[in-house]
Amino acid sequence: MSWKSVLAVTVSAVALSGALAVPAGAAVTTAAAPAAATQSCYVFNEAGSALNVRSGPGTGYAVVGSMAAGSRLPCGPLQDSMTTGGSYSSCGGGNTWLQVTLGGRTDYVAERCVSVGMA
């Protein structure tokens, strides 16, 4: 068996066992943990005034907060996918809603009143 084969078997065995053999006196460094993922999808209020944030996709759901004109909230789990729900009359009217994250909850805003983008 050549030295390359022995080295390959040894490296494979170390990798499989999770062990790390380091010669005495050798410096060992560890890589920093990767940075936490940053929020990449935001919903921006384009209505020109405050916008209701609701607990579900329709005006029959409770108002749980509001978005100031020009403000943004993180997208909800569906990102930029629309949900069909109850009708609304603001911003020209419609029945499509976008999910937002507010206070750790998934809530909804009228889709025609917002835009979706990156921070």
Side-chain angles (χ1 to χ4, degrees):
M1 185 180 282
S2 74
W3 68 271
K4 289 181 182 179
S5 298
V6 172
L7 179 60
V9 170
T10 303
V11 169
S12 296
V14 169
L16 290 174
S17 71
L20 177 61
V22 179
V28 176
T29 59
T30 57
T38 58
Q39 180 68 35
S40 61
C41 177
Y42 287 92
V43 174
F44 297 86
N45 179 353
E46 302 287 342
S49 61
L51 179 63
N52 287 334
V53 178
R54 296 186 176 272
S55 61
T59 57
Y61 290 90
V63 175
V64 295
S66 107
M67 287 180 75
S71 66
R72 72 178 189 189
L73 286 173
C75 292
L78 293 178
Q79 297 292 306
D80 61 352
S81 296
M82 292 179 272
T83 299
T84 301
S87 296
Y88 54 87
S89 58
S90 357
C91 308
N95 68 343
T96 50
W97 299 78
L98 286 171
Q99 288 184 342
V100 294
T101 302
L102 179 64
R105 295 182 322 268
T106 299
D107 296 309
Y108 294 82
V109 294
E111 179 267 333
R112 290 210 177 167
C113 298
V114 298
S115 63
V116 178
M118 309 288 276

